[in-house]
Amino acid sequence: MALRRAALVVLLCLSACCQAFYLPGVAPQDYAKGDKLFLKVNKLSSTKTQLPYEYYSIPYCRPSKIVPNAENLGEVLRGDRIENSPYEIEIRVDQQCKFLCRIPALSSTQAEAFGSKLEDEYRVNMILDNLPVAIPQIRDDSGSNVKRYERGFPIGRIEDDGKLSLHNHLRFTILYHRDIETDLSRIVGFEVKPFSIQHKYDGTWNEDKADLSTCNPGSMKYVSDKDDPQEMKEGKEVIFTYDVVYEPSQIRWASRWDTYLLMTDDQIHWFSIINSLMIVLFLSGMVAMIMMRTLHRDISNYNQLETVEEAQEETGWKLVHGDVFRPPTNAALLSVYVGTGMQLIGMGVVTMVFAVLGFLSPANRGGLMTAMLLLFVFMGIFGGYYSARLYKIFKGEQWKKTTLKTALYFPGVCFCIFFSLNMLVWGQKSSGAVPFGTLFALCFLWFGISVPLVFVGSYFGYKSPALEDPVRTNKIPRQIPEQPWYMNPVFSILIGGILPFGAVFIELFFILTSMWLHQFYYLFGFLCLVFVILIITCAEITIVLCYFQLCSEDYRWWWRAYFTSGSSAAYLFLYSMFYFWTKLDITRYVPMAMYFGYMAIVSYSFFCMTGTIGFFACWLFVRQIYAAVKID
């Protein structure tokens, strides 16, 4: 009851925060004709290096004063750096060949800055009315042309002769939906087509009157792909220009993200998900049927034993009833990991609920990461509660020490990896390096909120009465007979992790693609379904292997139950290695360290979650079967 009251207080605090929290992109903005639009620039990103850089880290045109945009915690951790730009755009007012700025002669430093980013395949990201800029692409889908977006645009291109060309002219196409009654407009699309053109002009350059012969609105001269490209070379003059074209659209404001979220392999994805679901459900049904029939027969036979001679001849899992609830070695550490797993499961479940309800849409940049961090912090109360509750069942007395380990172990490991990677990124002068202020905020969330909540939950957990075991534990441990080869702990644990991993590896491909190839992931409905399948498979495979272990008269099931389903994390990390070598083009040391470092954190989290699911399923199963038989 006390834990429920504490949890209610936390939920009320979260609901109050939710009422005061503004989701960017949720409230539509109406524009009258001629209203000024603010085009913002974001980071330079590359799937080849995975190191984001600020837009103005290379010599693009700058406004008179650079004003950074307010960013949330998730945006900072993702490396987003949103700033203002010198582009002047008015709603429903077309512009042709608008002059932006001029570099009289590229210096060696400037040419190197552009060239290095081009060779590393960096893309420029911009934002207009909370929509990211994208290059439209038309593909044939079952006989019909479907538009899809490729986020950002490349800095330049490599010509056939090997020369580097700079994209110095941008043609923005802004799609708008106009209300006929009010004549107000809403932005529903932001497209771009980059060009490389060596601008020319007559006579000497006049900054106040930039008359270009290569593109001129008076002579109806437009930029095309046939123009001579702007060479990216020291000493070359570079003139930056842009066009703005408005196109009316029937797309509603509420549906403007649909093109961004359009999947490229939707049929394959649907088939893979359904196929995986059917296989897992079939295997789960078979496992459940076998277990129910076998256990029902065993319990009936054991309860029919009446004579002493029959009881002495019994074999199987009933023989270890006096040792099955004996506390394991390192009971405090097991309590710590179970508490951490419950904290992560709570974070994951609540995050998916909010995501399915639409609160964590891509319009809310950084919202997903911010929500996960805050929820992990607030779920510390549940981590402390379950850790202390289990530790009390093990008859432990150092609950404060165990609680401190629960609050520090998992976050400490993740923070050490994160801080080490952050130092490497900082050495590369990337915008992905988390600033000192954000590190301080993370430490405050950890030590100022999470640790106290873990102690609060632990207090209520240790104060609650301990659950009584259904059978008594003998004072002298029973000798464990020699086990067959297939019951070797390492072998059975590795076998147990295959099925849970098989339930998620299809969805894992799309998640990794979203993380490392900079694509949107918004299939949270499928993710919830996969998570339910994961829980079922973790529980059932752990119960089956635990039953075989007890039938072999081996009662040391506590840690093995955790590792059986938790071993799926090893397969997850191996799959991430396979994905690295087959899908990514990362060759440098720092991006490689970033990839495997962050995937180690993901795998470690997955280990704690799946291990905890398997442990609780096995624990409930063991309590149930030993409570169902008569023990003299």
Side-chain angles (χ1 to χ4, degrees):
M1 184 64 68
L3 177 66
R4 292 178 181 176
R5 288 198 297 267
L8 181 61
V9 172
V10 173
L11 290 176
L12 288 175
C13 293
L14 284 175
S15 63
C17 294
C18 291
Q19 291 174 3
F21 186 68
Y22 171 69
L23 295 177
V26 173
Q29 180 70 42
D30 294 319
Y31 299 98
K33 184 175 181 180
D35 284 351
K36 188 175 181 181
L37 298 177
F38 296 96
L39 191 153
K40 300 176 183 179
V41 295
N42 199 351
K43 62 186 177 183
L44 307 174
S45 58
S46 169
T47 58
K48 187 175 182 179
T49 67
Q50 301 293 334
L51 292 170
Y53 285 92
E54 295 180 1
Y55 177 84
Y56 294 115
S57 63
I58 54 179
Y60 275 126
C61 302
R62 297 168 174 253
S64 57
K65 181 181 179 181
I66 298 177
V67 180
N69 192 56
E71 297 165 350
N72 58 41
L73 182 60
E75 286 179 301
V76 175
L77 295 177
R78 292 184 344 140
D80 288 346
R81 298 296 182 268
I82 303 173
E83 297 163 318
N84 62 327
S85 73
Y87 292 92
E88 297 178 356
I89 301 177
E90 296 177 354
I91 187 72
R92 289 162 55 190
V93 177
D94 291 354
Q95 301 179 27
Q96 181 192 348
C97 202
K98 186 73 179 286
F99 170 73
L100 195 63
C101 74
R102 169 178 173 265
I103 301 177
L106 281 177
S107 65
S108 59
T109 304
Q110 292 173 326
E112 173 63 24
F114 279 122
S116 61
K117 294 295 186 294
L118 172 58
E119 291 175 349
D120 287 334
E121 301 176 4
Y122 273 88
R123 301 180 71 86
V124 181
N125 296 283
M126 295 179 175
I127 299 172
L128 181 69
D129 194 45
N130 204 44
L131 282 178
V133 71
I135 297 178
Q137 294 182 347
I138 305 298
R139 68 183 180 96
D140 185 16
D141 187 8
S142 301
S144 61
N145 293 328
V146 177
K147 180 195 288 188
R148 60 176 297 269
Y149 282 155
E150 184 178 1
R151 277 197 293 171
F153 60 90
I155 292 177
R157 65 174 185 261
I158 302 177
E159 304 294 341
D160 295 336
D161 56 2
K163 294 182 180 180
L164 305 182
S165 298
L166 175 66
H167 286 150
N168 60 327
H169 181 86
L170 302 178
R171 180 170 296 157
F172 296 115
T173 301
I174 301 176
L175 308 180
Y176 67 95
H177 183 84
R178 186 174 71 91
D179 186 271
I180 300 177
E181 296 180 356
T182 62
D183 198 38
L184 297 177
S185 303
R186 293 179 178 178
I187 306 300
V188 295
F190 184 32
E191 303 173 357
V192 67
K193 183 176 182 180
F195 294 90
S196 179
I197 176 173
Q198 186 176 348
H199 280 302
K200 299 176 183 178
Y201 51 89
D202 298 328
T204 58
W205 175 256
N206 186 353
E207 190 78 24
D208 298 328
K209 188 179 180 181
D211 289 332
L212 301 174
S213 59
T214 45
C215 72
N216 194 302
S219 60
M220 303 298 291
K221 174 69 175 177
Y222 294 95
V223 176
S224 66
D225 293 322
K226 299 179 180 179
D227 293 315
D228 294 334
Q230 173 64 57
E231 190 175 353
M232 196 182 299
K233 186 178 180 182
E234 181 181 357
K236 290 289 184 178
E237 180 187 36
V238 180
I239 298 176
F240 291 92
T241 54
Y242 64 98
D243 299 335
V244 180
V245 179
Y246 284 90
E247 291 184 2
S249 174
Q250 297 300 320
I251 299 175
R252 294 283 182 177
W253 186 90
S255 306
R256 64 178 189 164
W257 278 90
D258 290 355
T259 309
Y260 290 91
L261 303 178
L262 184 66
M263 296 175 53
T264 55
D265 300 318
D266 49 356
Q267 293 182 350
I268 297 176
H269 184 85
W270 275 94
F271 175 78
S272 301
I273 289 292
I274 295 174
N275 183 59
S276 176
L277 177 64
M278 296 303 296
I279 292 176
V280 171
L281 289 178
F282 174 76
L283 292 176
S284 300
M286 292 292 294
V287 168
M289 183 179 65
I290 293 172
M291 292 304 302
M292 289 177 64
R293 294 184 60 184
T294 304
L295 274 177
H296 185 268
R297 185 177 65 250
D298 286 352
I299 292 173
S300 299
N301 291 339
Y302 286 142
N303 288 337
Q304 290 174 2
L305 294 177
E306 297 180 355
T307 64
V308 177
E309 290 77 10
E310 288 177 326
Q312 290 176 349
E313 293 176 359
E314 68 182 22
T315 58
W317 52 270
K318 189 180 179 183
L319 282 178
V320 296
H321 65 83
D323 298 274
V324 73
F325 291 104
R326 187 179 303 280
T329 57
N330 298 318
L333 185 61
L334 179 59
S335 302
V336 169
Y337 272 100
V338 169
T340 300
M342 289 303 298
Q343 189 173 354
L344 289 168
I345 292 172
M347 176 202 71
V349 170
V350 178
T351 300
M352 278 190 286
V353 169
F354 278 103
V356 169
L357 294 177
F359 288 100
L360 302 177
S361 69
N364 180 21
R365 292 180 306 276
L368 179 62
M369 187 172 294
T370 304
M372 292 179 67
L373 282 172
L374 293 179
L375 285 171
F376 178 80
V377 168
F378 285 109
M379 290 297 162
I381 190 171
F382 295 101
Y385 176 81
Y386 285 99
S387 174
R389 194 79 191 272
L390 183 61
Y391 188 60
K392 189 172 184 178
I393 293 175
F394 292 150
K395 298 178 175 58
E397 298 179 354
Q398 297 179 335
W399 71 274
K400 294 181 181 178
K401 184 178 180 181
T402 304
T403 303
L404 190 62
K405 290 180 179 178
T406 305
L408 299 181
Y409 263 28
F410 176 82
V413 171
C414 295
F415 186 81
C416 288
I417 297 175
F418 171 75
F419 185 77
S420 301
L421 295 176
N422 191 63
M423 294 300 293
L424 294 176
V425 176
W426 179 77
Q428 299 294 315
K429 299 180 180 180
S430 168
S431 65
V434 178
F436 176 77
T438 305
L439 287 176
F440 178 80
L442 291 174
C443 291
F444 173 76
L445 289 174
W446 181 11
F447 293 103
I449 301 179
S450 179
V451 173
L453 285 178
V454 172
F455 270 92
V456 170
S458 181
Y459 170 77
F460 287 110
Y462 204 77
K463 189 178 180 181
S464 302
L467 293 176
E468 295 293 334
D469 296 330
V471 293
R472 294 192 303 270
T473 300
N474 297 332
K475 294 183 178 179
I476 301 176
R478 174 186 174 88
Q479 185 176 359
I480 300 174
E482 184 178 355
Q483 300 294 304
W485 66 270
Y486 53 84
M487 291 306 299
N488 181 276
V490 176
F491 178 78
S492 62
I493 286 172
L494 292 178
I495 289 296
I498 296 177
L499 192 58
F501 172 75
V504 300
F505 86 97
I506 295 294
E507 202 67 21
L508 181 63
F509 170 81
F510 293 94
I511 295 175
L512 291 180
T513 301
S514 172
M515 290 175 59
W516 301 106
L517 294 181
H518 304 162
Q519 296 183 12
F520 288 115
Y521 182 87
Y522 199 56
L523 298 174
F524 294 109
F526 280 116
L527 191 60
C528 286
L529 178 62
V530 170
F531 186 69
V532 172
I533 297 173
L534 176 66
I535 293 176
I536 295 173
T537 51
C538 285
E540 290 187 342
I541 195 64
T542 307
I543 288 173
V544 169
L545 293 180
C546 179
Y547 174 74
F548 291 154
Q549 179 184 352
L550 295 177
C551 288
S552 299
E553 302 179 21
D554 186 355
Y555 53 83
R556 299 168 300 183
W557 62 271
W558 298 94
W559 275 107
R560 192 182 293 192
Y562 197 97
F563 281 113
T564 296
S565 53
S567 64
S568 57
Y571 294 101
L572 189 152
F573 190 76
L574 291 175
Y575 181 78
S576 69
M577 296 175 63
F578 171 79
Y579 185 88
F580 177 85
W581 294 114
T582 57
K583 299 296 181 181
L584 301 181
D585 189 24
I586 298 177
T587 56
R588 298 183 182 178
Y589 168 73
V590 173
M592 195 179 299
M594 286 174 54
Y595 178 84
F596 287 108
Y598 287 127
M599 289 311 302
I601 293 178
V602 172
S603 301
Y604 186 34
S605 305
F606 194 74
F607 166 74
C608 294
M609 289 178 61
T610 54
T612 300
I613 294 170
F615 171 83
F616 273 113
C618 191
W619 182 53
L620 294 174
F621 167 76
V622 172
R623 288 182 60 87
Q624 195 70 23
I625 64 173
Y626 282 98
V629 297
K630 295 184 297 185
I631 305 295
D632 296 331

